[in-house]
Amino acid sequence: MPTRILPAVGDADAVRSLTTLLSQLPDAEPVAAVTDSTQLIDTLARLAAESVDELPEVVVVHERIGPVPALELIREVALRFPAVGVILVTSDASPGLFQAAMDYGARGLVALPLGYEELASRVQAVAQWSAGVRRHLGSGGDVFTGVGGTVVTVSGAKGGVGTTLTAVQLALAAQASGRTTALVDMDLQTGDVAAYLDVQFRRSVVDLAAVGDISPRVLADAVFRHDTGLALLLAPGEGERGEDVTDRATRQIVSALRSRYEVVVIDCGAQLGGAGAAAVEMADTALLVTTPDVIAVRGAKRAVRMWDRLQIRKAEETTVVVNRHTRSTEIQPPLIRKITGTAVAATVVPAHFKDLQAVVDAGRVHELENKSTVKQALWGLAGELGLVKAAEGAHKGGRPRGDRGSVSFRRRRDGGG
């Protein structure tokens, strides 16, 4: 049976060189190369959705792939697609890099410039390993399965604009519709998700930061199961411990959650650190919450510009949510769209704190009444973003419930349609 090999190479000359050499290998079937990390993950996810057998046996990752660094990309592939063997192609063949590549999940390393014998030997060994994994994959091994869920980050233009409330209600709406949902508090120093949901906890996101390989069992031990069915991964009780959650750890944690839950909502707070930046970069949908006042809108504009400067996310890939909206305010959503250069959610959240005060003070936000206009708006926003599962038959006579905006607001991951 031919060995399917997927090259992941960003440089056009390197693509031609690698593809030519791979096509000369016995029983090799190179497929069309992907040019960046996002395209690679999307391609593998699409194939995995059909069947594990549709996945290539071998993925060859060039050291200059981007935007996610090669080693981080290898870790994500190894975690989400354990039946795929990854080979790293690099100009640095030192023992240190070899050990690092193995630690991140690579099954082999080939040095540049490429040589036929070395490449053939590595591909053959990795293909045999992949075939063995696939034979045993159905025997109940402790591995992640599935193509991965939708990741939504919720950030604040500044403190106090309703970021945590928005994140909590979006997660509750997704869970109530029948989707497995995780809510992550990545506001590492001042996170309030636990306080909003009346949770006493021992483990937090910090407990996963030092774990080299997050298995489903390790993840389950760190997650708190709330009465509503939400899986909670909470910020540490001691804010200084948040420094232990690096951008690298965040990528691994988000990848593990994406592989296990249909929807992952991440509260990033209003302060941007390495962990929050990594989460926003990985998100399918990045929300930025603001209130319709000059200070908050200026904060939203600053945040969008900073994300762009740091190459975390472009303005057009960000969606602003307007909270505490009234018809009488001078700053309306169209003006916010013009100022920030972002998309603005069609659903606005009304200013009606009277609905919220009792449940916020009691730490029981999940018990907010259905008649609350704030809850209705936030759950409507969840539908607009495509986070809720439409009820059977809801599409009859019109658009499916929850479909509005789900395409335009979701981050596009590939260069095609």
Side-chain angles (χ1 to χ4, degrees), residues 169 172 352 354-360 364-379:
Q169 290 296 330
L172 288 170
H352 210 268
K354 184 178 180 181
D355 285 2
L356 303 171
Q357 188 164 3
V359 294
V360 169
R364 308 283 293 180
V365 171
H366 52 289
E367 295 179 354
L368 184 60
E369 294 183 0
N370 290 334
K371 66 180 181 181
S372 163
T373 56
V374 174
K375 179 175 180 176
Q376 290 172 6
L378 288 170
W379 284 43

Side-chain angles (χ1 to χ4, degrees), residues 391-414:
E392 291 185 14
H395 64 281
K396 294 180 180 179
R399 187 193 296 258
R401 187 178 67 185
D403 185 62
R404 190 174 98 183
S406 63
V407 175
S408 59
F409 288 124
R410 185 166 298 174
R411 188 180 188 186
R412 297 180 66 157
R413 293 180 167 230
D414 58 319

Side-chain angles (χ1 to χ4, degrees), residues 75-143:
R75 185 196 292 277
E76 185 167 0
V77 172
L79 181 66
R80 292 182 58 184
F81 312 101
V84 175
V86 184
I87 297 173
L88 174 63
V89 175
T90 176
S91 55
D92 179 10
S94 65
L97 181 63
F98 179 85
Q99 183 61 51
M102 298 304 106
D103 290 342
Y104 275 75
R107 303 304 306 177
L109 183 147
V110 177
L112 291 169
L114 292 173
Y116 176 86
E117 294 296 335
E118 183 183 12
L119 183 61
S121 174
R122 284 291 88 212
V123 167
Q124 182 180 18
V126 173
Q128 291 175 350
W129 173 87
S130 177
V133 170
R134 294 177 194 216
R135 282 196 298 269
H136 297 286
L137 197 57
S139 62
D142 191 20
V143 296

Side-chain angles (χ1 to χ4, degrees), residues 9 11-22:
V9 188
D11 180 73
D13 292 334
V15 169
R16 287 191 293 270
S17 173
L18 180 58
T19 303
T20 300
L21 199 54
L22 289 173

Side-chain angles (χ1 to χ4, degrees), residues 135-264:
R135 282 196 298 269
H136 297 286
L137 197 57
S139 62
D142 191 20
V143 296
F144 289 110
T145 59
V147 301
T150 299
V151 175
V152 178
T153 55
V154 186
S155 305
K158 69 179 189 66
V161 295
T163 308
T164 299
L165 178 69
T166 300
V168 169
Q169 290 296 330
L170 290 178
L172 288 170
Q175 178 70 32
S177 76
R179 289 192 161 172
T180 57
T181 305
L183 174 60
V184 185
D185 197 343
M186 202 61 77
D187 187 0
L188 298 172
Q189 292 187 345
T190 58
D192 281 325
V193 168
Y196 271 44
L197 294 174
D198 191 25
V199 169
Q200 301 294 324
F201 64 98
R202 292 184 301 107
R203 297 190 180 276
S204 73
V205 65
V206 174
D207 293 298
L208 294 178
V211 178
D213 183 15
I214 302 177
S215 68
R217 189 171 303 165
V218 170
L219 182 62
D221 287 342
V223 165
F224 181 92
R225 182 66 61 178
H226 193 258
D227 293 342
T228 58
L230 283 178
L232 304 179
L233 187 57
L234 300 166
E238 305 81 16
E240 67 274 14
R241 296 190 65 201
E243 296 180 0
D244 296 337
V245 185
T246 63
D247 55 344
R248 176 181 297 178
T250 300
R251 292 183 186 280
Q252 184 181 4
I253 292 166
V254 173
S255 295
L257 290 165
R258 190 201 293 271
S259 299
R260 195 155 182 88
Y261 298 94
E262 294 177 85
V263 176
V264 180

Side-chain angles (χ1 to χ4, degrees), residues 65-76:
I65 195 72
V68 175
L71 290 179
E72 297 290 345
L73 178 60
I74 289 170
R75 185 196 292 277
E76 185 167 0

